[in-house]
Amino acid sequence: MAELASAAATAPVDPANWTCPAPLRDQPVVVMGHGGGGALSAELIEHIFAPAYGNATLAALGDSAVLHLGGARLAFSTDGYVVRPLFFPGGSLGDLAVNGTVNDLAMSGARPAYLSAAFVLEEGVELAVVDRIARAMGAAAEAAGVTVATGDTKVVEAGHGDGVYVTTAGVGLVPDGVDIRPQRARPGDVVIVSGPIGLHGVAIMSVREGLEFDVEVASDTASLADLVAAMLSVTPDIHVLRDPTRGGLAASLNEIARASGTGVRLHERAIPVPDAVANACGFLGLDPLYVANEGRLVAFVPRSEAEAVLAAMRAHPQGADAALIGECVAEHSGMVVVSTGLGGTRVVDLPLGEQLPRIC
């Protein structure tokens, strides 16, 4: 034993061999956090879906895939919507099913054109509810300038669904000269958010939990395609666009930082958080940076173009309250930090799951 102790004392220490006794997230079954857009979602994609049918197109892991087909560049995206409740202040499942996919296409710089819609209906749901959702989808599609061109319907037995689930897929054209993807973020870029954050998540939460505020908090669900077109009319050299839905602004920025190998530094006082959102989050112990949005985007733009892009955004109804909230930096690669109002700094990590599930 003495000889072993002596050998251990004289052996070179290699920190690369150290291990941290942190618990492993070894989940044998699916949990709600796997659908939250955070670390559990990323692990599900990395360990199951990507190996099953991984390819170079999928590996980009953008909000939509950019495809070369027949001489054109197409953006293609699909998304499932399982929000509970089906109707909430400012919107419904129908609005989300259109706007969510339209916005995923727009985050590649594409002009959305066509959608498909697949309904899973639970036996016993009122046809009036289905009609209301379908009409909301039609109105949202008209407002976004897209056509619902095809679809499907399935019915499951009572107790095997939750009223109505909708999946939409969409395609759009990407203009020449536009190359928007998370890998293009670079030190020196400024970070711009198109408006106040957290409204959608708090609107859903207010209905679920029976919370009342001095003013009604309504979801921000909206199409962002026209706003993106206005931004691109100023400069095609927008590096990154993301709509911070599940996992909120924090999840989107962490994904961008990790994909690009850069750091992101935010300025807390510059982030537009409505009083009602701040109060609700403070009461419930939530962080507004992790609360879902459905009508906001975050952009990484070269600093030389920032003033012109901000002006174009503020001239559009969906970007009237756009704000510059931070910058992309070479330090702390793959991490997001916030400079607080008290002069300190805190790390904003990728969430494990989601603060509020079934949000979209």
Side-chain angles (χ1 to χ4, degrees), residues 262-273:
T262 62
V264 176
R265 182 170 57 235
L266 303 178
H267 305 289
E268 188 174 57
R269 290 181 174 175
I271 302 171
V273 180

Side-chain angles (χ1 to χ4, degrees), residues 5 13 28 45 74 113 127 134 144 164 169 188 226 233 243 246 252 271 320 328-329:
V13 176
I45 293 169
L74 297 178
L127 288 176
V164 182
D226 286 343
S233 70
D243 58 334
R246 296 178 303 168
S252 292
I271 302 171
C328 189
V329 297

Side-chain angles (χ1 to χ4, degrees), residues 19-308:
T19 59
C20 176
L24 297 176
R25 292 190 290 269
D26 184 10
Q27 296 285 352
V29 298
V30 173
V31 298
M32 290 302 295
H34 282 119
L40 286 176
S41 293
E43 291 175 2
L44 187 67
I45 293 169
E46 179 183 357
H47 297 297
I48 293 183
F49 296 129
Y53 39 78
N55 53 73
T57 302
L58 181 67
L61 294 179
D63 283 339
S64 59
V66 176
L67 313 173
H68 296 265
L69 189 65
R73 281 202 306 158
L74 297 178
F76 177 45
S77 184
T78 187
D79 209 340
Y81 299 88
V82 295
V83 65
R84 180 173 56 85
L86 299 175
F87 306 97
F88 46 84
S92 69
L93 172 65
D95 302 294
L96 292 185
V98 170
N99 292 333
T101 296
V102 163
N103 291 345
D104 283 346
L105 295 171
M107 295 307 105
S108 293
R111 188 68 195 183
Y114 295 99
L115 301 182
S116 69
F119 282 74
V120 177
L121 308 177
E122 183 182 15
E123 182 184 25
V125 68
E126 295 181 7
L127 288 176
V129 170
V130 180
D131 179 68
R132 185 178 170 189
I133 291 171
R135 289 180 182 274
M137 289 182 68
E142 182 178 1
V146 297
T147 299
V148 180
T150 187
D152 183 41
T153 304
K154 295 293 189 295
V155 177
V156 297
E157 299 88 344
H160 290 263
D162 195 8
V164 182
Y165 299 148
V166 177
T167 295
T168 53
V171 294
L173 283 172
V174 181
D176 291 337
V178 172
D179 182 17
I180 299 174
R181 48 193 171 88
Q183 293 80 7
R184 289 199 68 211
R186 62 191 62 170
D189 285 354
V190 299
V191 181
I192 300 171
V193 69
S194 63
I197 65 170
L199 290 168
H200 177 70
V202 171
I204 296 288
M205 186 165 47
S206 67
V207 177
R208 284 193 200 169
E209 308 301 330
L211 301 177
E212 295 184 0
F213 306 101
D214 291 337
V215 295
E216 182 182 66
V217 179
S219 170
D220 56 3
T221 176
S223 165
L224 298 170
D226 286 343
L227 175 61
V228 171
M231 296 166 66
L232 290 173
S233 70
V234 172
T235 175
D237 191 28
I238 293 173
H239 291 166
V240 188
L241 291 174
R242 274 293 172 95
D243 58 334
T245 53
R246 296 178 303 168
L249 189 61
S252 292
L253 293 177
N254 270 280
E255 290 167 2
I256 294 166
R258 295 180 185 190
S260 61
T262 62
V264 176
R265 182 170 57 235
L266 303 178
H267 305 289
E268 188 174 57
R269 290 181 174 175
I271 302 171
V273 180
D275 289 342
V277 171
N279 293 338
C281 288
F283 177 73
L284 296 168
L286 306 178
D287 187 334
L289 291 176
Y290 294 91
V291 177
N293 311 270
E294 287 292 344
R296 297 288 179 257
L297 65 78
V298 59
F300 282 58
V301 179
R303 188 172 293 276
S304 60
E305 305 285 357
E307 186 175 340

Side-chain angles (χ1 to χ4, degrees), residues 333-350:
S333 172
M335 294 177 59
V336 180
V337 303
V338 174
S339 299
T340 69
L342 299 176
T345 300
R346 66 182 177 96
V347 175
V348 179
D349 203 358
L350 186 69

